[in-house]
Amino acid sequence: MRRIVDFLRRRRQAGTSLPHHLTPQMSGRDIVYAAGWRHPAREVLFVALFAFAASAMAQDLPGIPAMRDDLTPKDLDRVRAITTPTSDFSRPEQFELMQGGASTTKKRVNADSFSHSSANITFEEEGAFKLGNAIFRKNWVSSPSSTQASDGLGPLFNARACQSCHLKDGRGHPPEGSADATSMFLRLAREAETEEEKQAVASHQALNFPDPVYGTQLQDLAVPGLVSEGRMRIDYEEVPVTFNDGAVVSLRKPAYSIETLGYGPLDRRTTLSPRIANPMIGLGLVEQIHPADILANADPDDADGDGISGKASIVRDTLTGALMLGRFGWKAQSATIRQQSSDALAGDIGISSPEAPHHWGDCTQAQKACLDMPNGVQPRLGDTEAPEPIMDLVTFYSQHLAVPARRNLGEPEVLAGKQVFYGMGCTSCHTPKFVTRRDAPNKAHAFQLIWPYSDFLLHDMGEGLADGQQVGVADGYEWRTPPLWGIGLTQRVNNHTFFLHDGRARNLTEAILWHGGEAQGARDRFVAASAEERAALIRFLESL
């Protein structure tokens, strides 16, 4: 509320007109009273006030709507009411079972639980989903090849198929007990240095700058006749953490380096950022959360003094150049699923698309042997290796992977764990629920109550998780809050429980203990909690 009052005061000082029910003479106390905090009958004024405060935020985000323009006032009231965090933990909330709205899958829990289509798409759309799945799973091959429309791999690459990283459409993992790092890679980048580079980042024309030889990520595989770029090495140090009740947990602290560099040394300014593949479920629903509802939780200057300063990621659309709200990727560097898919095809597999027309993938000008290799463009199909129809199917598939229904949500320990989750302040970043846009392009995504448990904002997570790598507006300490839906099925789907951006956490307890920065308070409350409270919290997370 302090943040809303501050916005309104600034608007008054700037001479900006106020809604008819708010006058320039009103004090902060008057505004709070008018907002309905002290009078239930005035709740509608709070809705209007909230929307107005969001409008004030829009001044710094040109082209990105900060007010919901898809709802009637009546619908807006309904949305605000149903997304208000609960204070009743005696029973499940209404609709909580269906955490992906009407698109939620209620099919039997097994290893395919992340691979089902949205339950509310049409029969015809199911066909498009299956075609997209086939492309997502297919292995690309090097050029030239007799299997036309499947060649163009690399020449330098990390994987041969999308499914190689997103195994079973789920979570990637660090190499454990083998050299297999297929679902994890090292992002390479340096910060802006010259004034021209700084301006490019400030105007959202660039996220950061690649290594001059190795490009934007380390490619540990190569087509025949070419040398790979190197191999990621991880060295772990065990660090004990003691809970207030005397229980001890060991965290593994990773250190990253590269072995057998194939093209000389890295630039001294290049930073290494490890990334595992994110789960694919619910992406289409996330894409249809209205920007206003994400921006409403942003507080980059911590105006309300709660220690949480979520920041919106602002990026440019590759094709139109328009500013958009980033919401996908570990640092929210992508605004749309199509852009995220195009970047992954180019960076991970070396396949070009209209959004990322890089026929030689991540090869740089310093890698002449790579650029001399043939590409897989088929002129009769288009001017990229994955032309428009291919990208349409891949995007549709990625947009319609269903979120599984909750499990055991009425179990007493799960309800107790939910109360602990709220009480520890976890919902300050892991926002429980949203209602998607009513005007979503696909009816399957429109006006759905969803429970991703994320605010999709950037947060400083402290020194322990820092990678030192700037990505657009995100600095080396900041990460996007990852959605938690489906997290309890990681073991069932992917046969592991490695969490966080680099999989360093071997279970959910370790993942919580790595939280720092803005999440330090919540982490410390977890350390101070009883064994029963900690177990209940984990049980709640496993039910998501």
Side-chain angles (χ1 to χ4, degrees), residues 11 26 67 69 83 105 151 173-174 199 205 217 221 231 287 290 304 348 354 356 401 408 414 453 457 465 501 508 535:
R11 296 283 279 188
M26 292 177 76
M67 291 181 63
D69 50 8
T83 56
T105 176
D151 60 347
H173 61 85
Q199 179 56 36
Q205 302 292 342
Q217 66 191 59
L221 298 171
R231 187 168 66 89
E287 194 169 38
H290 197 286
D304 60 6
D348 301 345
L401 282 160
N408 309 313
V414 170
Y453 282 93
L457 296 171
L465 292 178
H501 66 279
L508 291 170

Side-chain angles (χ1 to χ4, degrees), residues 140-147 150-155 157 160 223-224 374-376:
W140 295 83
V141 297
S142 58
S143 303
S145 170
S146 58
T147 56
S150 288
D151 60 347
L153 177 67
F157 60 98
R160 294 184 58 194
V223 300
N375 64 58

Side-chain angles (χ1 to χ4, degrees), residues 377-442:
V377 175
Q378 306 290 335
R380 64 185 178 84
L381 301 177
D383 55 6
T384 57
E385 293 161 328
E388 194 83 14
I390 297 297
M391 289 309 304
D392 288 344
L393 291 170
V394 170
T395 302
F396 187 87
Y397 175 74
S398 301
Q399 288 172 331
H400 291 90
L401 282 160
V403 179
R406 286 281 303 279
R407 301 155 311 286
N408 309 313
L409 70 167
E411 183 181 290
E413 189 177 24
V414 170
L415 291 170
K418 180 180 178 182
Q419 185 170 9
V420 172
F421 186 84
Y422 277 60
M424 286 184 178
C426 303
T427 57
S428 296
C429 300
H430 290 283
T431 304
K433 47 191 170 175
F434 293 90
V435 173
T436 59
R437 304 181 67 117
R438 186 179 277 285
D439 58 357
N442 190 303

Side-chain angles (χ1 to χ4, degrees), residues 108-116 167-169 492-494:
R108 184 165 58 92
V109 172
N110 56 28
D112 294 321
S113 288
F114 290 171
S115 299
H116 301 305
L167 186 62
K168 293 283 187 178
D169 303 296
R492 192 65 181 270
V493 173
N494 295 124

Side-chain angles (χ1 to χ4, degrees), residues 226-242:
L226 200 63
V227 177
S228 68
E229 291 184 331
R231 187 168 66 89
M232 172 177 58
R233 174 172 174 168
I234 313 175
D235 294 298
Y236 291 110
E237 172 190 356
E238 293 291 335
V239 180
V241 174
T242 303

Side-chain angles (χ1 to χ4, degrees), residues 53-73:
S55 176
M57 293 174 61
Q59 306 306 307
D60 298 325
L61 303 174
I64 301 177
M67 291 181 63
R68 288 206 67 158
D69 50 8
D70 62 318
L71 300 177
T72 65

Side-chain angles (χ1 to χ4, degrees), residues 179-508:
D180 176 24
T182 304
S183 60
M184 180 178 181
F185 63 85
L186 287 175
R187 186 80 75 187
L188 310 176
R190 64 172 177 82
E191 293 186 3
E193 292 190 338
T194 68
E195 286 304 315
E196 182 180 6
E197 289 176 346
K198 292 176 182 178
Q199 179 56 36
V201 173
S203 61
H204 310 290
Q205 302 292 342
L207 296 173
N208 50 32
F209 299 91
D211 184 89
V213 174
Y214 291 90
T216 62
Q217 66 191 59
L218 182 73
Q219 309 286 345
D220 57 357
L221 298 171
V223 300
L226 200 63
V227 177
S228 68
E229 291 184 331
R231 187 168 66 89
M232 172 177 58
R233 174 172 174 168
I234 313 175
D235 294 298
Y236 291 110
E237 172 190 356
E238 293 291 335
V239 180
V241 174
T242 303
F243 291 100
N244 285 15
D245 62 7
V248 179
V249 170
S250 183
L251 304 183
R252 57 177 191 174
K253 180 180 179 181
Y256 295 93
S257 59
I258 301 175
E259 296 180 327
T260 61
L261 281 166
Y263 297 85
L266 288 172
D267 188 277
R268 60 175 178 77
R269 302 164 296 177
T270 297
T271 56
L272 310 180
S273 181
R275 312 284 175 87
I276 63 170
N278 272 308
M280 299 288 293
I281 58 172
L283 298 184
L285 294 166
V286 172
E287 194 169 38
Q288 295 309 317
I289 298 173
H290 197 286
D293 287 348
I294 294 177
L295 294 175
N297 294 316
D299 188 13
D301 301 319
D302 192 20
D304 60 6
D306 66 352
I308 308 298
S309 52
K311 183 169 67 178
S313 173
I314 307 302
V315 297
R316 286 195 183 274
D317 181 85
T318 305
L319 296 181
T320 68
L323 287 177
M324 301 183 72
L325 185 66
R327 58 185 81 189
F328 301 107
W330 282 106
K331 299 220 175 191
Q333 69 271 17
S334 297
T336 67
I337 296 169
R338 192 183 190 97
Q339 186 62 57
Q340 178 82 350
S341 300
S342 298
D343 290 344
L345 277 169
D348 301 345
I349 308 177
I351 299 298
S352 60
S353 65
E355 288 78 12
H358 313 307
H359 309 321
W360 289 271
D362 195 36
C363 295
T364 68
Q365 293 300 315
Q367 296 169 322
K368 187 176 183 303
C370 180
L371 297 177
D372 287 341
M373 291 283 184
N375 64 58
V377 175
Q378 306 290 335
R380 64 185 178 84
L381 301 177
D383 55 6
T384 57
E385 293 161 328
E388 194 83 14
I390 297 297
M391 289 309 304
D392 288 344
L393 291 170
V394 170
T395 302
F396 187 87
Y397 175 74
S398 301
Q399 288 172 331
H400 291 90
L401 282 160
V403 179
R406 286 281 303 279
R407 301 155 311 286
N408 309 313
L409 70 167
E411 183 181 290
E413 189 177 24
V414 170
L415 291 170
K418 180 180 178 182
Q419 185 170 9
V420 172
F421 186 84
Y422 277 60
M424 286 184 178
C426 303
T427 57
S428 296
C429 300
H430 290 283
T431 304
K433 47 191 170 175
F434 293 90
V435 173
T436 59
R437 304 181 67 117
R438 186 179 277 285
D439 58 357
N442 190 303
K443 290 172 62 176
H445 296 142
F447 210 51
Q448 298 295 313
L449 174 63
I450 62 173
W451 306 69
Y453 282 93
S454 171
D455 60 8
F456 303 99
L457 296 171
L458 298 166
H459 293 276
D460 181 341
M461 293 301 292
E463 185 70 38
L465 292 178
D467 66 347
Q469 191 170 106
Q470 177 189 26
V471 181
V473 303
D475 65 27
Y477 291 84
E478 292 175 322
W479 301 93
R480 180 201 69 156
T481 307
L484 297 181
W485 52 13
I487 197 167
L489 290 174
T490 304
Q491 174 70 58
R492 192 65 181 270
V493 173
N494 295 124
N495 200 32
H496 71 77
T497 55
F498 297 116
F499 300 109
L500 301 178
H501 66 279
D502 56 359
R504 68 177 67 187
R506 291 164 289 197
N507 51 58
L508 291 170

